[in-house]
Amino acid sequence: MTARIVPSVGSPLTRILPGQEDDAAPRILTGIAASPGLVMGPVYVHAPDDWLAADRAVAPGQAAAEHARLEAAIARTRQTIDDLRERLTAQDTDVTEGFIFQSHMSILDDPMFRDRVRKEILDNHRTADSAVTVFVRDITEAFLDLDDRYFQEKAADVQDVMRHLMYSLTEADDGADRSYDLDFDEPHIIVASELTPSDTVLLPKDKVLGLATERGGPLSHVAILANTLQLPAVVGLGSALMSLADGVIGILDGTRGVLTIDPTQEEIDAYGAQRQRREQFERTFDQLATEPGVTRDGTRIHLLTNLELADSHELAQGEAQAADGVGLYRTEYAYLASESLPTEDELYEKYCSILADARGRPVTFRTVDLGGEKVLPLLDAAPRAEGVENVRGLRLCLRYPEVWEAQLRALWRACAHGDARVMFPMVPGVAEFRAGKNAVTRAREQLERDGVPCADRLIIGAMIELPSAVTVADLLAEEADFLSIGTNDLIPYSLGLDRTYMDRTMVSEPYHPGVLRALKRVADEGALRDTPVTVCGEMAGDPFYVLPLIGMGVHRLSMSAASIPQIKRVIRSTTIQEARGVLGRLLELPTAEAVDYELHRHMLEHYAHLLVSHAAETGDAEHDG
Ligand code: PEP
Ligand code: MG
């Protein structure tokens, strides 16, 4: 299998690639390289209406039952609106606000609405969700066409009440496929203002050539997912992107971070030649798959994969690159893709199948990491979860134990069937880590009481993603069985940046001396106590960062499977002595720019022929591993 490579999400390399130009013309949009690859095809501007449904049919014999489902959902929505009104009354709110809910009720009771949706279901055999969606679209269009403020506000009211109705419908519709229904067959470059992790998961992969977003940074989850899915992606392309017309042809270069619209013949020819060179270079990776990650002076570096969806495609990629195991399985993706919290049995089966696929190699399950970018509408809507948006990761699970109870039981059960490890995300310090471990212990006690077979012991690690965790890395290294550094969060949390909105002016930030020293400190504390340290953020797949990382003693790197061959090739060409020398020089430098410059100078001087991003551009490739 041929890998498509060049990781280095947001790497400064993009600025020094030969031929890089900063064309201000709106036809050539420049953003941040988020996932490598080069594709050409029609553009589709995707504006997800989260709560609206795809157009789906129901079997004629099921139409009456579908209509009954709608009626039941309307009844539940009436109850919701009543509750909201009561809450307002209890707070002695302005009477006009209560009146709004009165008008919401009247929309639900409106004979025109009831009649329309009934016909859509019983006569046109649409699902209840599709029928409501058709109604919302038609009424909104009609009201907005009237160009009158009263009707525009009315349209907003209709949308509001219909959104409640749609939630009631989906509540009772567990496990339904929520994939976006894109109205074309040929794959397109998907253009969007922003893509949340759920949006990315819900896009049908066979219709996607690549992703281009107006906003977003190199560490955002859409960038990470695109790498995993091996989809070229460019983020932060700016507002001009959203004025593109559907169907216009684009060339998306995820390595350079450029989207060329309506390409000239010359640009199309250049695209063809460049694609050919890259493919030729990437073919040279195949022979590497059977070689281990060992430095020239004999130090074994474990190269592991990160999993998001853990579907057969992702697992096969890891297999093809002969990964040494799974260093990070982001278990929350199973939650994001589902309408309800997954059950213990569903999770147990999923985890068992991942362990079976790993065939004896270690798998690191990260407990569910929600909050921040990864929101779960389901959780937001839960009555007990007020303020849930203010906490993340381990804290969220400790505060709302119902989120991970089923997961902890499933892990105990599944971990009996393979070499499994568990780690907590966003660990602030020892108290929280211990509280997490206590929850894990309680889950086992419950299972034992219930007579359910499970593993004897769990290996439990702490993710180091917060500056506080770095400062107490000595204590965490004592308490935890292993540490895993999540640089995607550690970098923005350390430097006061927003992970989602890092832009092109910030590409040197991962090289900040503050970050470099933090990593070194964690590696040192781990080494002092014989606690293994892994890096599992995007940095682990950045060929420019390998030398400093192995130089500081990090011998476990976890990354998208596609990044493995290139990282392995650098490792097999260097020595620990060289890596330590480079690290030593970098640690003496005072600024991110200086570290960035020195590291790139060293790598391009000695390893340019190994880097896809360089060699594939110039044809200067090394053809044996
Ligand atoms: C990280 O923060 O580096 C990490 C691996 O976790 P995630 O990217 O899922 O937040
Ligand atoms: Mg993280």
Side-chain angles (χ1 to χ4, degrees):
M1 137 157 193
T2 305
R4 257 185 323 119
I5 305 295
V6 180
S8 186
V9 172
S11 155
L13 177 66
T14 50
R15 283 176 298 145
I16 48 178
L17 281 172
Q20 167 87 2
E21 54 190 85
D22 212 347
D23 196 329
R27 204 176 57 77
I28 298 180
L29 304 174
T30 313
I32 303 173
S35 175
L38 187 64
V39 286
M40 182 168 99
V43 153
Y44 171 74
V45 182
H46 179 60
D49 285 316
D50 253 342
W51 55 282
L52 291 177
D55 199 6
R56 290 233 160 73
V58 69
Q62 292 294 316
E66 189 65 8
H67 187 242
R69 189 169 80 87
L70 174 74
E71 289 295 338
I74 290 177
R76 282 197 301 277
T77 310
R78 294 182 65 88
Q79 187 58 52
T80 308
I81 293 173
D82 245 349
D83 291 347
L84 287 173
R85 194 167 47 187
E86 249 172 53
R87 271 210 335 233
L88 274 181
T89 318
Q91 288 168 18
D92 206 15
T93 323
D94 189 331
V95 59
T96 52
E97 297 195 14
F99 181 72
I100 291 173
F101 289 111
Q102 188 63 50
S103 86
H104 276 36
M105 260 333 172
S106 64
I107 293 169
L108 277 182
D109 290 334
D110 189 298
M112 195 256 292
F113 160 65
R114 301 294 273 262
D115 209 40
R116 230 354 252 290
V117 284
R118 192 171 46 78
K119 277 206 179 94
E120 288 297 346
I121 299 172
L122 297 180
D123 301 348
N124 297 341
H125 303 139
R126 285 197 151 97
T127 61
D129 315 56
S130 311
V132 172
T133 300
V134 168
F135 173 79
V136 173
R137 291 218 164 103
D138 288 356
I139 202 92
T140 309
E141 208 174 296
F143 279 7
L144 294 184
D145 268 0
L146 291 174
D147 203 18
D148 177 303
R149 241 191 96 202
Y150 170 79
F151 283 104
Q152 281 169 5
E153 281 170 15
K154 201 77 200 153
D157 281 354
V158 172
Q159 296 219 7
D160 204 1
V161 71
M162 292 303 146
R163 191 189 298 254
H164 285 298
L165 175 56
M166 201 63 104
Y167 284 150
S168 297
L169 273 169
T170 46
E171 257 169 35
D173 204 12
D174 289 359
D177 177 9
R178 294 167 63 217
S179 290
Y180 293 126
D181 205 12
L182 301 180
D183 200 13
F184 46 76
D185 294 327
E186 184 193 0
H188 280 53
I189 295 170
I190 307 294
V191 158
S193 173
E194 203 171 6
L195 288 168
T196 65
S198 342
D199 290 331
T200 317
V201 170
L202 294 174
L203 284 168
K205 304 297 163 295
D206 54 336
K207 294 190 177 177
V208 183
L209 272 179
L211 304 173
T213 63
E214 176 188 355
R215 287 177 289 188
L219 299 177
S220 55
H221 286 91
V222 60
I224 295 171
L225 260 177
N227 270 275
T228 301
L229 299 169
Q230 293 198 303
L231 286 174
V234 182
V235 298
L237 282 157
S239 54
L241 185 71
M242 295 311 286
S243 47
L244 294 181
D246 280 348
V248 65
I249 298 297
I251 296 177
L252 184 74
D253 186 336
T255 311
R256 293 174 168 213
V258 179
L259 175 64
T260 306
I261 295 303
D262 220 352
T264 61
Q265 190 54 48
E266 212 174 301
E267 285 163 341
I268 294 173
D269 293 345
Y271 157 81
Q274 203 177 335
R275 244 195 104 106
Q276 232 178 13
R277 276 201 303 275
R278 284 190 196 187
E279 278 163 14
Q280 194 183 357
F281 184 74
E282 285 162 6
R283 275 197 290 277
T284 67
F285 283 133
D286 289 353
Q287 66 213 70
L288 267 181
T290 51
E291 306 288 346
V294 183
T295 59
R296 282 203 285 122
D297 48 358
T299 301
R300 177 81 162 91
I301 310 294
H302 293 267
L303 300 175
L304 307 140
T305 54
N306 290 351
L307 299 181
E308 275 84 50
L309 309 177
D311 56 12
S312 52
H313 170 72
E314 244 190 322
L315 293 164
Q317 272 184 290
E319 185 69 32
Q321 302 309 339
D324 294 310
V326 176
L328 163 67
Y329 167 37
R330 293 179 163 101
T331 59
E332 60 277 5
Y333 280 91
Y335 290 63
L336 296 174
S338 151
E339 296 245 321
S340 52
L341 286 177
T343 65
E344 177 183 328
D345 283 342
E346 280 164 5
L347 295 174
Y348 169 69
E349 266 157 40
K350 174 105 186 156
Y351 300 164
C352 283
S353 81
I354 296 172
L355 284 165
D357 272 308
R359 288 187 284 115
R361 284 168 294 182
V363 176
T364 310
F365 293 87
R366 175 178 70 192
T367 56
V368 59
D369 182 16
L370 293 168
E373 242 194 311
K374 287 178 273 195
V375 286
L376 194 58
L378 187 79
L379 197 59
D380 273 344
R384 282 240 307 109
E386 233 164 84
V388 72
E389 65 280 5
N390 301 326
V391 280
R392 264 199 72 173
L394 176 60
R395 267 189 204 282
L396 189 146
C397 290
L398 292 174
R399 193 144 156 194
Y400 307 104
E402 57 270 43
V403 173
W404 74 345
E405 269 159 6
Q407 170 169 57
L408 295 182
R409 289 171 60 98
L411 282 170
W412 271 114
R413 288 170 59 197
C415 290
H417 305 296
D419 183 355
R421 291 115 209 257
V422 171
M423 65 186 179
F424 303 141
M426 293 289 199
V427 178
V430 168
E432 297 80 3
F433 184 72
R434 284 182 185 156
K437 284 215 304 196
N438 288 340
V440 170
T441 308
R442 280 195 302 275
R444 189 171 196 294
E445 286 164 358
Q446 261 178 15
L447 285 163
E448 220 170 320
R449 272 199 304 275
D450 299 345
V452 180
C454 56
D456 295 330
R457 176 171 183 264
L458 283 186
I459 299 173
I460 302 184
M463 282 194 74
I464 308 288
E465 306 179 86
L466 299 171
S468 64
V470 174
T471 53
V472 297
D474 53 334
L475 306 176
L476 286 170
E478 286 289 345
E479 296 269 334
D481 294 319
F482 64 94
L483 302 178
S484 188
I485 309 177
T487 47
N488 303 339
D489 279 307
L490 183 59
I491 294 168
Y493 274 99
S494 299
L495 302 178
L497 298 170
D498 183 327
R499 170 173 177 164
T500 322
Y501 293 103
M502 284 176 71
D503 67 21
R504 283 198 301 148
T505 62
M506 301 175 191
V507 284
S508 289
E509 296 299 342
Y511 302 87
H512 197 287
V515 173
L516 197 65
R517 291 175 192 209
L519 297 171
K520 169 89 166 52
R521 176 162 181 180
V522 178
D524 288 348
E525 299 296 355
L528 270 176
R529 292 163 185 81
D530 271 339
T531 306
V533 176
T534 305
V535 169
C536 66
E538 289 306 288
M539 184 187 278
D542 179 347
F544 287 86
Y545 235 119
V546 190
L547 262 53
L549 288 179
I550 64 174
M552 58 180 79
V554 174
H555 293 168
R556 300 171 61 83
L557 300 171
S558 192
M559 63 200 83
S560 308
S563 301
I564 288 182
Q566 179 163 235
I567 297 296
K568 192 187 276 183
R569 191 171 254 185
V570 174
I571 285 170
R572 292 178 59 80
S573 309
T574 187
T575 60
I576 289 293
Q577 201 190 353
E578 179 192 6
R580 286 193 187 132
V582 170
L583 175 68
R585 286 207 302 282
L586 299 182
L587 283 170
E588 283 174 12
L589 298 170
T591 66
E593 285 70 25
V595 175
D596 176 354
Y597 181 84
E598 171 55 20
L599 191 52
H600 281 73
R601 189 201 58 71
H602 182 90
M603 291 304 289
L604 291 180
E605 191 174 314
H606 301 279
Y607 298 106
H609 59 292
L610 301 184
L611 305 173
V612 182
S613 47
H614 181 80
E617 298 300 326
T618 59
D620 174 24
E622 171 158 295
H623 288 279
D624 52 17

